[in-house]
Amino acid sequence: MTALIVHGGAWDIPDNEVAAHKAGCLAALAAGWAILNAGGSALDAVEAAVRSLEDDPTYDAGVGSFLNAIGEVELDAAIMDGNTMLSGAVAAVQRVRHPITLARRVLESDYILLVGAGAESFAQSAGVELCSADDLVIDRERERWKAQQGQPGFRGRDAFRAAHDTVGAVALDAAGNLAAATSTGGIPNKLPGRVGDSPLLGSGLYADNESGGCSTTGWGESIMKVVLAKTVTDGLRQGAHPREAAQSGIRYLARRVDGLAGCIVLDRAGQVGWAHNTLRMAFAYQVDGQEPVVAIHQDEVA
Ligand code: ASP
């Protein structure tokens, strides 16, 4: 059995951005599915899917990411192998076009999380090409940044309705191994040095062959408090279907910390789940023998 699910953020995605979000998710699904279909690993599939989303300026990951309060990109990403439990993450990197690939190199090292300048030095020694920070900045984000100057800073929950376009993927390969990956530019106008849930194991992602895999998106400061991805995969371990585990994790986040988020889930059998308490979430999935499914709201595929 092979299965792959990807997401491109959970928020009030406006109607005029729906088509781009769906197209990007389908392209990422195709990139990851090609690897699974050729007998490749779940780890390679989630990396390829997330690289595709990082290349798409629609999303807040890689090129097109939000700018922080001083007008710079700072990117976070993480990847986890549910077979070996090896994991790699980077945070607050500025000159890396594909932070997920840098996270993969960290996974292959003796470390788990590298940040900022140290992560960029590691990139050079690990053969991950650096770009200029400006290469990742697009006009849409320069304009957003300009409009935010002089406005009150990040205001927590409400700011998250406006935009959060983090990307992620979870895969199950033919060998029965699960993997998860998440990549983000964080939140618009964030304080320099702010790190959210996305690169943190258990919050922004989790994968364990004994339970399942999950990637999350949403208000990081709420997701971290309930360790959302681990909470959801623990639900799988206790026998819940991925839909139930996802819904129960999101309900807990909403009830306990008034959080806002979405998540995608696969269990060991390749059953698919997702849930969000935002208006919309962009996601797409495919399982063996079936056509790809893409949606912007859970009712579309319920
Ligand atoms: N969770 C991300 C963060 O807080 C944002 C997002 O999902 O869009 O950095």
Side-chain angles (χ1 to χ4, degrees), residues 7 9-11 60 66 76 160 163-167 182-187 190 194-199 204 216-221 223-224:
H7 74 77
W11 56 291
D60 172 34
F66 296 140
D76 307 331
F160 272 85
H164 48 110
D165 264 331
T166 290
V167 305
T182 302
S183 181
T184 190
I187 51 175
K190 63 188 178 184
R194 181 265 187 190
V195 176
D197 59 300
S198 305
T216 70
T217 175
W219 178 17
E221 280 72 10
I223 292 171
M224 288 186 274

PDB file of all heavy atoms in Angstrom, residues 7 9-11 60 66 76 160 163-167 182-187 190 194-199 204 216-221 223-224, ligand 1:
ATOM      1  N   HIS A   7      -0.416  19.345   2.100  1.00  0.00           N
ATOM      2  CA  HIS A   7      -1.262  20.507   2.369  1.00  0.00           C
ATOM      3  C   HIS A   7      -0.520  21.786   2.022  1.00  0.00           C
ATOM      4  O   HIS A   7       0.706  21.825   1.957  1.00  0.00           O
ATOM      5  CB  HIS A   7      -1.733  20.539   3.830  1.00  0.00           C
ATOM      6  CG  HIS A   7      -0.679  20.933   4.821  1.00  0.00           C
ATOM      7  ND1 HIS A   7      -0.279  22.234   5.009  1.00  0.00           N
ATOM      8  CD2 HIS A   7       0.061  20.190   5.687  1.00  0.00           C
ATOM      9  CE1 HIS A   7       0.655  22.278   5.934  1.00  0.00           C
ATOM     10  NE2 HIS A   7       0.889  21.047   6.363  1.00  0.00           N
ATOM     11  N   GLY A   9      -1.551  24.916   3.661  1.00  0.00           N
ATOM     12  CA  GLY A   9      -2.006  25.928   4.606  1.00  0.00           C
ATOM     13  C   GLY A   9      -3.490  25.861   4.912  1.00  0.00           C
ATOM     14  O   GLY A   9      -4.284  25.357   4.117  1.00  0.00           O
ATOM     15  N   ALA A  10      -3.841  26.355   6.103  1.00  0.00           N
ATOM     16  CA  ALA A  10      -5.247  26.369   6.558  1.00  0.00           C
ATOM     17  C   ALA A  10      -5.563  27.761   7.069  1.00  0.00           C
ATOM     18  O   ALA A  10      -5.001  28.199   8.064  1.00  0.00           O
ATOM     19  CB  ALA A  10      -5.448  25.337   7.663  1.00  0.00           C
ATOM     20  N   TRP A  11      -6.431  28.467   6.368  1.00  0.00           N
ATOM     21  CA  TRP A  11      -6.845  29.817   6.765  1.00  0.00           C
ATOM     22  C   TRP A  11      -8.030  30.227   5.906  1.00  0.00           C
ATOM     23  O   TRP A  11      -8.598  29.382   5.204  1.00  0.00           O
ATOM     24  CB  TRP A  11      -5.682  30.805   6.658  1.00  0.00           C
ATOM     25  CG  TRP A  11      -5.003  30.913   5.306  1.00  0.00           C
ATOM     26  CD1 TRP A  11      -4.220  29.958   4.707  1.00  0.00           C
ATOM     27  CD2 TRP A  11      -5.044  32.015   4.390  1.00  0.00           C
ATOM     28  NE1 TRP A  11      -3.769  30.412   3.483  1.00  0.00           N
ATOM     29  CE2 TRP A  11      -4.254  31.674   3.263  1.00  0.00           C
ATOM     30  CE3 TRP A  11      -5.649  33.269   4.413  1.00  0.00           C
ATOM     31  CZ2 TRP A  11      -4.076  32.528   2.177  1.00  0.00           C
ATOM     32  CZ3 TRP A  11      -5.456  34.123   3.333  1.00  0.00           C
ATOM     33  CH2 TRP A  11      -4.675  33.751   2.229  1.00  0.00           C
ATOM     34  N   ASP A  60       3.527  30.155   1.659  1.00  0.00           N
ATOM     35  CA  ASP A  60       4.466  30.758   2.601  1.00  0.00           C
ATOM     36  C   ASP A  60       5.540  29.720   2.958  1.00  0.00           C
ATOM     37  O   ASP A  60       5.576  29.187   4.066  1.00  0.00           O
ATOM     38  CB  ASP A  60       3.669  31.202   3.840  1.00  0.00           C
ATOM     39  CG  ASP A  60       4.554  31.671   4.969  1.00  0.00           C
ATOM     40  OD1 ASP A  60       5.608  32.265   4.689  1.00  0.00           O
ATOM     41  OD2 ASP A  60       4.186  31.429   6.137  1.00  0.00           O
ATOM     42  N   PHE A  66       6.485  34.946   3.724  1.00  0.00           N
ATOM     43  CA  PHE A  66       6.241  36.210   4.408  1.00  0.00           C
ATOM     44  C   PHE A  66       7.569  36.830   4.860  1.00  0.00           C
ATOM     45  O   PHE A  66       8.536  36.106   5.131  1.00  0.00           O
ATOM     46  CB  PHE A  66       5.386  35.984   5.668  1.00  0.00           C
ATOM     47  CG  PHE A  66       4.009  35.467   5.388  1.00  0.00           C
ATOM     48  CD1 PHE A  66       3.441  34.505   6.206  1.00  0.00           C
ATOM     49  CD2 PHE A  66       3.267  35.958   4.326  1.00  0.00           C
ATOM     50  CE1 PHE A  66       2.159  34.036   5.969  1.00  0.00           C
ATOM     51  CE2 PHE A  66       1.975  35.495   4.079  1.00  0.00           C
ATOM     52  CZ  PHE A  66       1.425  34.529   4.909  1.00  0.00           C
ATOM     53  N   ASP A  76      11.649  28.064   8.304  1.00  0.00           N
ATOM     54  CA  ASP A  76      11.731  26.916   9.217  1.00  0.00           C
ATOM     55  C   ASP A  76      11.259  25.664   8.462  1.00  0.00           C
ATOM     56  O   ASP A  76      10.287  25.749   7.705  1.00  0.00           O
ATOM     57  CB  ASP A  76      10.783  27.081  10.418  1.00  0.00           C
ATOM     58  CG  ASP A  76      10.943  28.396  11.163  1.00  0.00           C
ATOM     59  OD1 ASP A  76      12.057  28.955  11.167  1.00  0.00           O
ATOM     60  OD2 ASP A  76       9.945  28.852  11.754  1.00  0.00           O
ATOM     61  N   PHE A 160      -4.087  35.173  12.353  1.00  0.00           N
ATOM     62  CA  PHE A 160      -3.991  33.914  11.626  1.00  0.00           C
ATOM     63  C   PHE A 160      -5.121  33.662  10.661  1.00  0.00           C
ATOM     64  O   PHE A 160      -5.041  32.797   9.806  1.00  0.00           O
ATOM     65  CB  PHE A 160      -3.841  32.754  12.607  1.00  0.00           C
ATOM     66  CG  PHE A 160      -2.414  32.559  12.898  1.00  0.00           C
ATOM     67  CD1 PHE A 160      -1.813  33.303  13.877  1.00  0.00           C
ATOM     68  CD2 PHE A 160      -1.644  31.728  12.123  1.00  0.00           C
ATOM     69  CE1 PHE A 160      -0.478  33.190  14.106  1.00  0.00           C
ATOM     70  CE2 PHE A 160      -0.303  31.608  12.345  1.00  0.00           C
ATOM     71  CZ  PHE A 160       0.286  32.341  13.335  1.00  0.00           C
ATOM     72  N   ALA A 163      -3.734  35.038   6.865  1.00  0.00           N
ATOM     73  CA  ALA A 163      -2.863  34.295   5.961  1.00  0.00           C
ATOM     74  C   ALA A 163      -1.972  33.336   6.730  1.00  0.00           C
ATOM     75  O   ALA A 163      -1.268  33.758   7.634  1.00  0.00           O
ATOM     76  CB  ALA A 163      -1.980  35.274   5.182  1.00  0.00           C
ATOM     77  N   HIS A 164      -2.056  32.094   6.405  1.00  0.00           N
ATOM     78  CA  HIS A 164      -0.958  31.203   6.779  1.00  0.00           C
ATOM     79  C   HIS A 164      -0.937  30.039   5.816  1.00  0.00           C
ATOM     80  O   HIS A 164      -1.873  29.275   5.702  1.00  0.00           O
ATOM     81  CB  HIS A 164      -0.934  30.794   8.246  1.00  0.00           C
ATOM     82  CG  HIS A 164      -2.206  30.304   8.859  1.00  0.00           C
ATOM     83  ND1 HIS A 164      -2.382  29.004   9.207  1.00  0.00           N
ATOM     84  CD2 HIS A 164      -3.317  30.963   9.203  1.00  0.00           C
ATOM     85  CE1 HIS A 164      -3.568  28.876   9.767  1.00  0.00           C
ATOM     86  NE2 HIS A 164      -4.163  30.044   9.773  1.00  0.00           N
ATOM     87  N   ASP A 165       0.156  29.988   5.128  1.00  0.00           N
ATOM     88  CA  ASP A 165       0.286  29.151   3.944  1.00  0.00           C
ATOM     89  C   ASP A 165       1.430  28.162   4.034  1.00  0.00           C
ATOM     90  O   ASP A 165       2.063  27.831   3.036  1.00  0.00           O
ATOM     91  CB  ASP A 165       0.556  30.062   2.741  1.00  0.00           C
ATOM     92  CG  ASP A 165      -0.721  30.384   1.984  1.00  0.00           C
ATOM     93  OD1 ASP A 165      -1.630  29.555   2.008  1.00  0.00           O
ATOM     94  OD2 ASP A 165      -0.767  31.455   1.362  1.00  0.00           O
ATOM     95  N   THR A 166       1.705  27.736   5.244  1.00  0.00           N
ATOM     96  CA  THR A 166       2.716  26.694   5.460  1.00  0.00           C
ATOM     97  C   THR A 166       2.381  25.470   4.614  1.00  0.00           C
ATOM     98  O   THR A 166       1.211  25.225   4.312  1.00  0.00           O
ATOM     99  CB  THR A 166       2.711  26.350   6.958  1.00  0.00           C
ATOM    100  OG1 THR A 166       3.255  27.448   7.653  1.00  0.00           O
ATOM    101  CG2 THR A 166       3.502  25.093   7.285  1.00  0.00           C
ATOM    102  N   VAL A 167       3.390  24.682   4.268  1.00  0.00           N
ATOM    103  CA  VAL A 167       3.159  23.489   3.449  1.00  0.00           C
ATOM    104  C   VAL A 167       3.657  22.239   4.174  1.00  0.00           C
ATOM    105  O   VAL A 167       4.513  22.331   5.064  1.00  0.00           O
ATOM    106  CB  VAL A 167       3.875  23.615   2.085  1.00  0.00           C
ATOM    107  CG1 VAL A 167       3.446  24.893   1.377  1.00  0.00           C
ATOM    108  CG2 VAL A 167       5.393  23.559   2.229  1.00  0.00           C
ATOM    109  N   THR A 182       7.407  19.337   6.870  1.00  0.00           N
ATOM    110  CA  THR A 182       6.695  20.618   6.968  1.00  0.00           C
ATOM    111  C   THR A 182       7.694  21.738   6.687  1.00  0.00           C
ATOM    112  O   THR A 182       8.849  21.659   7.109  1.00  0.00           O
ATOM    113  CB  THR A 182       6.090  20.783   8.386  1.00  0.00           C
ATOM    114  OG1 THR A 182       5.221  19.674   8.642  1.00  0.00           O
ATOM    115  CG2 THR A 182       5.285  22.068   8.514  1.00  0.00           C
ATOM    116  N   SER A 183       7.249  22.792   5.979  1.00  0.00           N
ATOM    117  CA  SER A 183       8.146  23.906   5.669  1.00  0.00           C
ATOM    118  C   SER A 183       7.349  25.204   5.685  1.00  0.00           C
ATOM    119  O   SER A 183       6.196  25.241   5.238  1.00  0.00           O
ATOM    120  CB  SER A 183       8.765  23.681   4.281  1.00  0.00           C
ATOM    121  OG  SER A 183       9.661  24.725   3.947  1.00  0.00           O
ATOM    122  N   THR A 184       7.960  26.281   6.191  1.00  0.00           N
ATOM    123  CA  THR A 184       7.218  27.534   6.338  1.00  0.00           C
ATOM    124  C   THR A 184       8.118  28.758   6.359  1.00  0.00           C
ATOM    125  O   THR A 184       9.299  28.662   6.712  1.00  0.00           O
ATOM    126  CB  THR A 184       6.410  27.514   7.660  1.00  0.00           C
ATOM    127  OG1 THR A 184       5.523  28.637   7.686  1.00  0.00           O
ATOM    128  CG2 THR A 184       7.302  27.577   8.882  1.00  0.00           C
ATOM    129  N   GLY A 185       7.516  29.883   6.010  1.00  0.00           N
ATOM    130  CA  GLY A 185       8.143  31.184   6.258  1.00  0.00           C
ATOM    131  C   GLY A 185       7.609  31.798   7.540  1.00  0.00           C
ATOM    132  O   GLY A 185       7.899  32.957   7.842  1.00  0.00           O
ATOM    133  N   GLY A 186       6.782  31.054   8.266  1.00  0.00           N
ATOM    134  CA  GLY A 186       6.256  31.541   9.544  1.00  0.00           C
ATOM    135  C   GLY A 186       5.086  32.489   9.338  1.00  0.00           C
ATOM    136  O   GLY A 186       4.224  32.240   8.498  1.00  0.00           O
ATOM    137  N   ILE A 187       5.095  33.581  10.077  1.00  0.00           N
ATOM    138  CA  ILE A 187       3.964  34.511  10.034  1.00  0.00           C
ATOM    139  C   ILE A 187       4.440  35.885   9.572  1.00  0.00           C
ATOM    140  O   ILE A 187       5.581  36.268   9.806  1.00  0.00           O
ATOM    141  CB  ILE A 187       3.296  34.606  11.420  1.00  0.00           C
ATOM    142  CG1 ILE A 187       4.338  34.897  12.501  1.00  0.00           C
ATOM    143  CG2 ILE A 187       2.535  33.342  11.727  1.00  0.00           C
ATOM    144  CD1 ILE A 187       3.740  35.120  13.864  1.00  0.00           C
ATOM    145  N   LYS A 190       6.641  38.944  11.667  1.00  0.00           N
ATOM    146  CA  LYS A 190       7.040  38.338  12.947  1.00  0.00           C
ATOM    147  C   LYS A 190       8.310  39.015  13.463  1.00  0.00           C
ATOM    148  O   LYS A 190       9.107  39.554  12.681  1.00  0.00           O
ATOM    149  CB  LYS A 190       7.275  36.837  12.768  1.00  0.00           C
ATOM    150  CG  LYS A 190       8.424  36.501  11.811  1.00  0.00           C
ATOM    151  CD  LYS A 190       8.509  35.002  11.507  1.00  0.00           C
ATOM    152  CE  LYS A 190       9.620  34.692  10.510  1.00  0.00           C
ATOM    153  NZ  LYS A 190       9.669  33.264  10.133  1.00  0.00           N
ATOM    154  N   ARG A 194      11.744  34.771  15.698  1.00  0.00           N
ATOM    155  CA  ARG A 194      10.556  33.992  16.093  1.00  0.00           C
ATOM    156  C   ARG A 194      10.555  32.633  15.371  1.00  0.00           C
ATOM    157  O   ARG A 194      10.737  32.556  14.161  1.00  0.00           O
ATOM    158  CB  ARG A 194       9.293  34.767  15.744  1.00  0.00           C
ATOM    159  CG  ARG A 194       7.981  34.040  16.133  1.00  0.00           C
ATOM    160  CD  ARG A 194       7.411  33.247  14.983  1.00  0.00           C
ATOM    161  NE  ARG A 194       6.097  32.682  15.269  1.00  0.00           N
ATOM    162  CZ  ARG A 194       5.482  31.789  14.492  1.00  0.00           C
ATOM    163  NH1 ARG A 194       6.061  31.377  13.394  1.00  0.00           N
ATOM    164  NH2 ARG A 194       4.299  31.321  14.810  1.00  0.00           N
ATOM    165  N   VAL A 195      10.362  31.574  16.115  1.00  0.00           N
ATOM    166  CA  VAL A 195      10.241  30.248  15.518  1.00  0.00           C
ATOM    167  C   VAL A 195       8.887  29.688  15.948  1.00  0.00           C
ATOM    168  O   VAL A 195       8.518  29.775  17.125  1.00  0.00           O
ATOM    169  CB  VAL A 195      11.382  29.316  15.970  1.00  0.00           C
ATOM    170  CG1 VAL A 195      11.176  27.910  15.417  1.00  0.00           C
ATOM    171  CG2 VAL A 195      12.730  29.871  15.509  1.00  0.00           C
ATOM    172  N   GLY A 196       8.147  29.135  14.991  1.00  0.00           N
ATOM    173  CA  GLY A 196       6.833  28.576  15.297  1.00  0.00           C
ATOM    174  C   GLY A 196       6.897  27.075  15.502  1.00  0.00           C
ATOM    175  O   GLY A 196       7.939  26.503  15.838  1.00  0.00           O
ATOM    176  N   ASP A 197       5.771  26.440  15.274  1.00  0.00           N
ATOM    177  CA  ASP A 197       5.644  24.990  15.493  1.00  0.00           C
ATOM    178  C   ASP A 197       6.297  24.161  14.388  1.00  0.00           C
ATOM    179  O   ASP A 197       6.696  23.019  14.630  1.00  0.00           O
ATOM    180  CB  ASP A 197       4.160  24.629  15.527  1.00  0.00           C
ATOM    181  CG  ASP A 197       3.485  25.026  14.204  1.00  0.00           C
ATOM    182  OD1 ASP A 197       3.512  26.231  13.863  1.00  0.00           O
ATOM    183  OD2 ASP A 197       2.983  24.130  13.500  1.00  0.00           O
ATOM    184  N   SER A 198       6.370  24.724  13.183  1.00  0.00           N
ATOM    185  CA  SER A 198       6.658  23.884  12.003  1.00  0.00           C
ATOM    186  C   SER A 198       7.931  23.049  12.109  1.00  0.00           C
ATOM    187  O   SER A 198       7.934  21.883  11.703  1.00  0.00           O
ATOM    188  CB  SER A 198       6.695  24.747  10.740  1.00  0.00           C
ATOM    189  OG  SER A 198       5.500  25.462  10.626  1.00  0.00           O
ATOM    190  N   PRO A 199       9.061  23.591  12.644  1.00  0.00           N
ATOM    191  CA  PRO A 199      10.265  22.759  12.681  1.00  0.00           C
ATOM    192  C   PRO A 199      10.371  21.917  13.956  1.00  0.00           C
ATOM    193  O   PRO A 199      11.407  21.275  14.171  1.00  0.00           O
ATOM    194  CB  PRO A 199      11.383  23.803  12.629  1.00  0.00           C
ATOM    195  CG  PRO A 199      10.821  24.969  13.374  1.00  0.00           C
ATOM    196  CD  PRO A 199       9.334  24.966  13.094  1.00  0.00           C
ATOM    197  N   GLY A 204       4.835  20.576  14.658  1.00  0.00           N
ATOM    198  CA  GLY A 204       4.599  20.802  13.235  1.00  0.00           C
ATOM    199  C   GLY A 204       4.544  19.532  12.412  1.00  0.00           C
ATOM    200  O   GLY A 204       4.062  19.548  11.270  1.00  0.00           O
ATOM    201  N   THR A 216       1.171  19.622  10.349  1.00  0.00           N
ATOM    202  CA  THR A 216       0.178  20.613  10.788  1.00  0.00           C
ATOM    203  C   THR A 216       0.462  21.977  10.171  1.00  0.00           C
ATOM    204  O   THR A 216       1.550  22.237   9.657  1.00  0.00           O
ATOM    205  CB  THR A 216       0.187  20.771  12.322  1.00  0.00           C
ATOM    206  OG1 THR A 216       1.400  21.419  12.719  1.00  0.00           O
ATOM    207  CG2 THR A 216       0.073  19.435  13.026  1.00  0.00           C
ATOM    208  N   THR A 217      -0.517  22.850  10.271  1.00  0.00           N
ATOM    209  CA  THR A 217      -0.374  24.244   9.846  1.00  0.00           C
ATOM    210  C   THR A 217      -1.347  25.073  10.661  1.00  0.00           C
ATOM    211  O   THR A 217      -2.379  24.566  11.086  1.00  0.00           O
ATOM    212  CB  THR A 217      -0.655  24.399   8.340  1.00  0.00           C
ATOM    213  OG1 THR A 217      -0.625  25.793   8.007  1.00  0.00           O
ATOM    214  CG2 THR A 217      -1.997  23.830   7.930  1.00  0.00           C
ATOM    215  N   GLY A 218      -1.018  26.331  10.875  1.00  0.00           N
ATOM    216  CA  GLY A 218      -1.922  27.178  11.641  1.00  0.00           C
ATOM    217  C   GLY A 218      -1.162  28.060  12.604  1.00  0.00           C
ATOM    218  O   GLY A 218       0.037  28.308  12.423  1.00  0.00           O
ATOM    219  N   TRP A 219      -1.842  28.486  13.614  1.00  0.00           N
ATOM    220  CA  TRP A 219      -1.271  29.421  14.590  1.00  0.00           C
ATOM    221  C   TRP A 219      -0.264  28.656  15.456  1.00  0.00           C
ATOM    222  O   TRP A 219      -0.631  27.925  16.366  1.00  0.00           O
ATOM    223  CB  TRP A 219      -2.416  30.012  15.416  1.00  0.00           C
ATOM    224  CG  TRP A 219      -2.003  30.940  16.489  1.00  0.00           C
ATOM    225  CD1 TRP A 219      -0.815  31.590  16.650  1.00  0.00           C
ATOM    226  CD2 TRP A 219      -2.812  31.332  17.605  1.00  0.00           C
ATOM    227  NE1 TRP A 219      -0.830  32.356  17.772  1.00  0.00           N
ATOM    228  CE2 TRP A 219      -2.040  32.229  18.385  1.00  0.00           C
ATOM    229  CE3 TRP A 219      -4.117  31.015  18.010  1.00  0.00           C
ATOM    230  CZ2 TRP A 219      -2.540  32.795  19.555  1.00  0.00           C
ATOM    231  CZ3 TRP A 219      -4.607  31.582  19.178  1.00  0.00           C
ATOM    232  CH2 TRP A 219      -3.817  32.466  19.931  1.00  0.00           C
ATOM    233  N   GLY A 220       1.018  28.862  15.132  1.00  0.00           N
ATOM    234  CA  GLY A 220       2.074  28.074  15.767  1.00  0.00           C
ATOM    235  C   GLY A 220       2.091  28.174  17.275  1.00  0.00           C
ATOM    236  O   GLY A 220       2.351  27.186  17.978  1.00  0.00           O
ATOM    237  N   GLU A 221       1.791  29.378  17.784  1.00  0.00           N
ATOM    238  CA  GLU A 221       1.843  29.560  19.236  1.00  0.00           C
ATOM    239  C   GLU A 221       0.744  28.762  19.932  1.00  0.00           C
ATOM    240  O   GLU A 221       0.845  28.483  21.128  1.00  0.00           O
ATOM    241  CB  GLU A 221       1.752  31.057  19.590  1.00  0.00           C
ATOM    242  CG  GLU A 221       3.080  31.819  19.440  1.00  0.00           C
ATOM    243  CD  GLU A 221       3.519  32.056  18.001  1.00  0.00           C
ATOM    244  OE1 GLU A 221       2.722  31.815  17.074  1.00  0.00           O
ATOM    245  OE2 GLU A 221       4.665  32.489  17.781  1.00  0.00           O
ATOM    246  N   ILE A 223      -0.439  25.727  18.384  1.00  0.00           N
ATOM    247  CA  ILE A 223      -0.091  24.333  18.046  1.00  0.00           C
ATOM    248  C   ILE A 223       0.962  23.784  19.002  1.00  0.00           C
ATOM    249  O   ILE A 223       0.886  22.638  19.466  1.00  0.00           O
ATOM    250  CB  ILE A 223       0.411  24.263  16.584  1.00  0.00           C
ATOM    251  CG1 ILE A 223      -0.733  24.570  15.617  1.00  0.00           C
ATOM    252  CG2 ILE A 223       1.035  22.905  16.281  1.00  0.00           C
ATOM    253  CD1 ILE A 223      -0.302  24.732  14.161  1.00  0.00           C
ATOM    254  N   MET A 224       1.952  24.636  19.323  1.00  0.00           N
ATOM    255  CA  MET A 224       3.044  24.160  20.207  1.00  0.00           C
ATOM    256  C   MET A 224       2.523  23.787  21.581  1.00  0.00           C
ATOM    257  O   MET A 224       3.025  22.865  22.215  1.00  0.00           O
ATOM    258  CB  MET A 224       4.113  25.251  20.333  1.00  0.00           C
ATOM    259  CG  MET A 224       4.936  25.416  19.069  1.00  0.00           C
ATOM    260  SD  MET A 224       6.304  26.590  19.264  1.00  0.00           S
ATOM    261  CE  MET A 224       5.516  28.137  18.900  1.00  0.00           C
TER     262      MET A 224
HETATM  263  N1  ASP B   1       2.383  27.221  11.722  1.00  0.00           N
HETATM  264  C1  ASP B   1       3.140  28.253  11.068  1.00  0.00           C
HETATM  265  C2  ASP B   1       3.840  29.079  12.094  1.00  0.00           C
HETATM  266  O1  ASP B   1       3.256  29.396  13.108  1.00  0.00           O
HETATM  267  C3  ASP B   1       2.315  29.138  10.205  1.00  0.00           C
HETATM  268  C4  ASP B   1       1.449  28.439   9.217  1.00  0.00           C
HETATM  269  O2  ASP B   1       1.041  27.283   9.410  1.00  0.00           O
HETATM  270  O3  ASP B   1       1.146  29.015   8.181  1.00  0.00           O
HETATM  271  O4  ASP B   1       4.978  29.458  11.865  1.00  0.00           O
END
